[in-house]
Amino acid sequence: MRLIDPFLIGFFRLTGYSLVDFFTGVFCLCMGCAVLGELTISAAIRLNRSHLKALKHEVSQKETLSMQAYADGDRVSYKALNKAANDVWGRYFFTMAAYSAGILWPVPFALGWMQTRFQNVDFQLAFPLNLVFGDYVGYPFIFIPMYIFTRIIFKYLRPRLPYFRGVQIMLDHPEKP
């Protein structure tokens, strides 16, 4: 924590205006989380590409065989093959869901770091937000929507960034090596 603190806090001291600096720092921290999460997920997908490709091929093969059995009137084989295809598809789906969750791993660390620096900082809310959330909120109230915002921005930046351009091509065309 001590090693990264001077680097991270630098983003919160860019202009000398505390509110502007806070929002700028949160934006930079969130963008760092988004980039780090994307790097992690892209590495995991690249390392497991052959496994994912094999799962997709197996699903396709079992679906084709089940449809052929259905066309032949073999209901028992159709049901067995369809069940097998659903099982393989479930493994593929939950593998991809785990990868998607892996994008979020930097967020708790960023929030933990922010707690060490901004635990006692409160933001007063104006009407009508104060009716829902109370009069004051802390740093997570700013961080979470800012993280969502940076994920949306990164979605549009990814195809234009050198490394992530290749990742985007890999995601758009998974059948290519």
Side-chain angles (χ1 to χ4, degrees), residues 97-173:
Y99 287 152
S100 296
I103 287 175
L104 298 174
W105 76 264
V107 170
F109 291 101
L111 286 169
W113 175 80
M114 286 188 77
Q115 182 176 2
T116 66
R117 287 298 196 145
F118 303 105
Q119 183 174 9
N120 297 322
V121 176
D122 290 327
F123 296 92
Q124 187 172 9
L125 292 179
F127 181 81
L129 291 176
N130 65 343
L131 297 175
V132 178
F133 300 107
D135 291 333
Y136 295 94
V137 294
Y139 64 92
F141 188 83
I142 307 297
F143 180 89
I144 293 169
M146 185 71 78
Y147 180 74
I148 293 167
F149 177 67
T150 57
R151 294 289 314 162
I152 292 168
I153 290 173
F154 190 79
K155 172 187 171 187
Y156 293 106
L157 288 177
R158 182 175 40 213
R160 292 169 178 79
L161 298 174
Y163 171 78
F164 293 108
R165 185 179 310 126
V167 172
Q168 189 64 46
I169 291 169
M170 178 182 70
L171 293 173
D172 292 342
H173 307 287

Side-chain angles (χ1 to χ4, degrees), residues 8-90:
L8 293 178
I9 202 65
F11 293 110
F12 289 83
R13 295 178 176 162
L14 292 174
T15 67
Y17 297 101
S18 58
L19 191 60
V20 173
D21 284 346
F22 183 79
F23 280 100
T24 303
V26 171
F27 177 82
C28 292
L29 185 61
C30 289
M31 188 58 78
C33 288
V35 169
L36 193 54
E38 287 281 337
L39 284 170
T40 304
I41 191 74
S42 67
I45 289 174
R46 284 180 191 264
L47 289 172
N48 292 312
R49 183 186 290 179
S50 62
H51 174 67
L52 294 172
K53 192 174 181 180
L55 285 175
K56 288 176 90 174
H57 177 72
E58 189 177 352
V59 167
S60 177
Q61 185 180 27
K62 297 221 186 286
E63 284 176 344
T64 302
L65 290 173
S66 74
M67 295 311 273
Q68 185 178 358
Y70 184 78
D72 293 343
D74 186 357
R75 303 287 272 175
V76 173
S77 295
Y78 165 74
K79 286 185 177 185
L81 287 165
N82 198 34
K83 182 183 180 328
N86 284 336
D87 290 344
V88 175
W89 186 87

